Amino acid sequence: METQDASATISEYVSSLQYESLPSEVVDVTKKGILDTLGVILGASGTVPEAEILVDMITRLGGRPDATILGCGDRVPAWHAAYVNGAMAHALDYDDLHGGGLGHLYGPIVPAALAMAEQTSGTTGRDLIAAVCAGVDLLSRLNSSARATGNPHEWHAMSVNGVFGATVAAARIAGLDARRLRSALGIAFTYAAGTMEIVYGTGNNTRGFVYALPGETGVRSSMMAEAGLAGVQNSFDGDAGLLNVYYQGEYSRAVLLDALGERFLTVDAGFKPWPACGFAHIYIDMVLGLMKEHEIIPDDVSSVTVTVGDFAQRLCEPLEQKRRPSASMEAKFSLPFTMAVAMVRGGIIIRDYLPAHLADKDILDFAKRVQYKVEHRFDFDPNASMPAGAVEISMRDGSTYEREQKIAFGNPAKPMSWEDLSDKFADCAENAASTLPSAQVAAAVEMLTNLEKVDEIGQVVDALGPKRQG
């Protein structure tokens, strides 16, 4: 018997998915993912110059005011809102980071689901949770099915696979049946693209924009299918489908399709406590822990040595340049600068990486005391979780404090609480293009924490900031 195309199996499952069937732990982590993603979008809206350029471009296009660009409140066509919000979701590199190393999962999905929810009257909080859960689960399965075979690839998983996750999320909101949802996936397939050069290359300031493509594609593909347009029917298993072209036939079908609705990879979601490169988090966690445990005063420190593997080594070289980063994103990918901020400030928040703070004399002076060494036992394995690391703090009196650690705060094995995520949201909201009063921030957090009780998603958007006509 001929195998049914995976897109058909996925469409049948998603079109019948009900909120009531979701396990409580899946609902909880999905709500956290939504809160976290909306927060980092707000934070990016007021701190990332590229976001301001993009907002200006999109708002000048005009169109139906169906959905909201978060942070500024402008209303534009739904897929335009999903595009801009998607770009901002990763622009700070502060969005979620899967504990199993599967990447940032909510940034490509939440903007599509939210935009479609605004456009679709009567969408409830439960609808949004179910849609985001379906989208993130598919994205997780697609990423994990390739990793299960050790399949190396240089295409960008969030950009390529993200369009499918965003599409099922948007289609679930729109209420598409299995036939039209399969068409939506087929339409989205024609836009699946992107390679890791956006990460490896230098000189570009659109790295976060790869998360814009899934949001826009998901909403547009769902709307086209809803209107009756038919997409590619065998977008996954066809001779030139996703699994044969991008995956070259090397993937685990069991990981992709087995136990749909029973096994959710979303429960392994991790969140970032600090707005820095994920590979720096293990070192931030270690030095903050040592400082608290031993009551270390920064002025008494003579040097800090981080022991890194191959990928984290990139955050240390060239050393002198990393000690004096010239741009915000460069600072986020600098271990010397990040270690200096963590120790001098006793923590890291968004403003620490803003251009005005990159010349802080206290930080730059301390960064000169940060050095590194390489041990390949800490090398990055793309088929595993984030690598471990070690740090040594040497004091001026000759004493030393050392720590080696396997996981960082924010990993699901060392999770952020609702209170932690609420504090992060508040920091992000404080940096939004339109700053929210503290009372409004608290109200928004309360609503998102209890999202399953929200009767109309428009109430959530109203709580997130100003609302202006497009």
Side-chain angles (χ1 to χ4, degrees), residues 190-271:
T190 62
Y191 298 100
T195 77
M196 289 299 289
E197 189 60 26
I198 193 72
V199 176
Y200 300 153
T202 60
N204 78 82
N205 58 3
T206 55
R207 182 175 182 270
F209 288 11
V210 295
Y211 291 72
L213 174 68
E216 177 189 26
T217 300
V219 172
R220 185 175 64 244
S221 298
S222 296
M223 290 176 64
M224 291 171 70
E226 186 177 22
L229 296 173
V232 174
Q233 294 301 291
N234 296 320
S235 55
F236 280 63
D237 291 302
D239 290 342
L242 175 79
L243 301 173
N244 286 317
V245 174
Y246 284 101
Y247 286 58
Q248 298 178 312
E250 298 177 4
Y251 73 103
S252 169
R253 197 170 187 84
V255 170
L256 178 59
L257 297 178
D258 282 3
L260 284 167
E262 299 173 12
R263 184 185 74 240
F264 293 89
L265 301 182
T266 50
V267 296
D268 292 327
F271 300 99

Side-chain angles (χ1 to χ4, degrees), residues 34-116:
I34 294 170
L35 170 70
D36 188 70
T37 304
L38 297 180
V40 297
I41 292 171
L42 290 176
S45 71
T47 60
V48 178
E50 295 78 24
E52 184 179 351
I53 294 171
L54 197 57
V55 169
D56 181 62
M57 289 177 58
I58 293 297
T59 53
R60 281 192 285 111
L61 291 176
R64 290 175 44 140
D66 288 331
T68 306
I69 299 176
L70 298 181
C72 62
D74 292 286
R75 291 179 59 81
V76 294
W79 68 60
H80 288 177
Y83 185 88
V84 179
N85 289 335
M88 292 193 293
H90 190 57
L92 286 174
D93 200 17
Y94 200 8
D95 44 322
D96 70 287
L97 188 60
H98 191 275
L102 294 181
H104 307 271
L105 299 176
Y106 284 88
I109 310 302
V110 172
L114 183 68
M116 186 61 88

Side-chain angles (χ1 to χ4, degrees), residues 389-469:
V391 66
E392 178 182 297
I393 301 176
S394 299
M395 308 301 291
R396 298 190 189 278
D397 64 7
S399 60
T400 61
Y401 302 105
E402 300 179 25
R403 180 164 291 179
E404 182 175 321
Q405 198 166 297
K406 292 183 177 180
I407 60 172
F409 178 44
N411 183 287
K414 194 178 180 181
M416 294 180 71
S417 66
W418 274 106
E419 183 179 0
D420 296 324
L421 287 167
S422 298
D423 289 343
K424 173 180 174 178
F425 184 93
D427 178 39
C428 289
E430 185 177 331
N431 288 279
S434 297
T435 304
L436 305 183
S438 57
Q440 187 173 347
V441 171
V445 169
E446 177 69 17
M447 187 176 294
L448 290 166
T449 303
N450 297 285
L451 186 57
E452 70 277 12
K453 299 178 181 178
V454 173
D455 294 328
E456 171 62 57
I457 287 303
Q459 299 168 0
V460 174
V461 177
D462 288 345
L464 293 173
K467 192 169 187 177
R468 299 195 294 268
Q469 288 298 112

